[in-house]
Amino acid sequence: MKIISSIEELRDQLSGQLRTAFVPTMGNLHEGHLSLMRLARKHGDPVVASIFVNRMQFGPNEDFEKYPRTFQADVEKLEKEGVYVLFAPTERDLYPEPQEFRVRPPDDLGNTLEGEFRPGFFTGVTTVVLKLFSCVQPRVAVFGKKDYQQLMIVRNMSRQFALPTEIIAAETYRAADGLALSSRNMYLSVNERAEAPALFQTLNFVANEMRSGHLDIFELEHAATAQLKQRGWNPDYISIRKRLDLQPPTAGDLAQGAALVVLAAAKLGATRLIDNLEI
């Protein structure tokens, strides 16, 4: 595996490649990330991964400085997966001058759910993703469904800018007890880790209620939020949305059987976890 930090060297290395499959990451790789590499290989060749902790998507009170950086361990995992190139730019490599041009998602998609609680987050995400796409020029790129809103925003951005990159969605990789794998899980204490699967259980409660005909959205969201609070969680949101545009479903949408997803974000102790479940 070649480890490359400069954009110029990366483009030279990938020159002439027409089926590059790309998986952008922020490192601290776990089995969920590695499953994305395997899916990428099914859709293209060679497989390129990136590791870059993007300061632009962290808020002023978020964990940029303490975000786990495990570069050597990440390299070993990617080598075992047969990744062809690891693009690991420094901030100076990727942002040699202040990044004054930004990509801002539309308010109805970028300022709801995660965007409401993390202002500016998705502008940071879309800006760095567009720049990484420009560097790698992939035919396909793989994003996990765990970050459902991010997946939708990147997919819409790619379509509206007519980028030559197909966005592939990967199913959420879960531990045996249902907890979605995340780099932030390492912050959980032993007791918190034992409690953490309750978030996915709550999503399943909502999904099962809806499948059985309970279509009072407000009542279901309120009941699910109360369940988590009773267990000691601090929920930011539990919200039932249309998969198509992540807007709240109308009565007409529900009557017509619109495809839905329930999304949640909640703090367990000091650790904020997100998850979702398609209905």
Side-chain angles (χ1 to χ4, degrees), residues 17-119:
Q17 299 285 0
L18 301 178
R19 297 182 60 248
T20 301
F22 179 45
V23 185
T25 83
M26 293 207 300
N28 191 33
L29 304 182
H30 50 65
E31 191 61 29
H33 293 109
L34 302 182
S35 71
L36 303 184
M37 309 297 164
R38 295 167 199 147
L39 181 59
R41 182 170 293 105
K42 294 179 179 179
H43 290 273
D45 180 65
V47 175
V48 176
S50 68
I51 293 177
F52 182 71
V53 183
N54 181 39
R55 186 188 300 269
M56 197 182 299
Q57 69 194 62
F58 286 79
N61 299 313
E62 295 183 335
D63 55 356
F64 174 79
E65 295 299 340
K66 67 174 185 176
Y67 192 86
R69 292 161 171 85
T70 54
F71 187 75
Q72 194 52 49
D74 293 345
V75 167
E76 293 171 5
K77 291 173 182 176
L78 293 175
E79 285 179 331
K80 289 180 181 176
E81 292 299 328
V83 169
Y84 176 61
V85 168
L86 168 59
F87 181 44
T90 66
E91 287 189 292
R92 185 179 294 275
D93 288 315
L94 203 59
Y95 301 127
E97 58 184 276
Q99 187 68 35
E100 295 169 341
F101 286 87
R102 306 286 177 100
V103 181
R104 177 180 159 183
D107 289 346
D108 61 351
L109 187 56
N111 290 344
T112 187
L113 301 169
E114 285 297 282
E116 178 182 349
F117 289 90
R118 302 181 69 186

Side-chain angles (χ1 to χ4, degrees), residues 8 20 28 51 75 85 87 94 96 98 112 118 128 130 132 151 180 187 195 218 221 223 248 251-253 255 266:
E8 183 178 3
T20 301
N28 191 33
I51 293 177
V75 167
V85 168
F87 181 44
L94 203 59
T112 187
R118 302 181 69 186
V128 76
L130 184 61
L132 288 169
L151 167 66
Y187 298 145
E195 168 63 22
F218 177 80
E221 292 173 346
D253 293 326

Side-chain angles (χ1 to χ4, degrees), residues 139-249:
R139 175 65 188 85
V140 300
V142 178
F143 289 80
K145 283 188 179 181
K146 186 185 81 70
D147 298 293
Y148 202 89
Q149 190 174 5
Q150 173 179 277
L151 167 66
M152 298 300 295
I153 286 174
V154 169
R155 178 173 280 163
N156 288 359
M157 177 189 75
S158 186
R159 184 184 68 252
Q160 288 196 11
F161 279 115
L163 301 179
T165 302
E166 179 186 358
I167 307 303
I168 305 294
E171 296 297 330
T172 301
Y173 199 98
R174 300 184 181 279
D177 58 9
L179 177 65
L181 266 59
S182 168
S183 297
R184 289 187 169 89
N185 291 351
M186 66 179 294
Y187 298 145
L188 298 169
S189 69
V190 173
N191 289 339
E192 288 168 348
R193 175 61 186 83
E195 168 63 22
L199 184 61
F200 187 50
Q201 293 164 11
T202 301
L203 295 178
N204 274 286
F205 159 75
V206 173
N208 289 335
E209 286 290 302
M210 292 207 71
R211 289 167 184 150
S212 66
H214 186 167
L215 299 181
D216 188 326
I217 299 294
F218 177 80
E219 182 179 292
L220 273 177
E221 292 173 346
H222 182 76
T225 300
Q227 281 184 20
L228 281 182
K229 285 183 175 178
Q230 288 171 2
R231 300 183 68 106
W233 293 68
N234 181 20
D236 282 344
Y237 60 82
I238 299 178
S239 188
I240 299 164
R241 300 293 179 102
K242 292 184 291 181
R243 294 187 210 173
L244 177 66
D245 55 11
L246 294 187
Q247 298 306 299

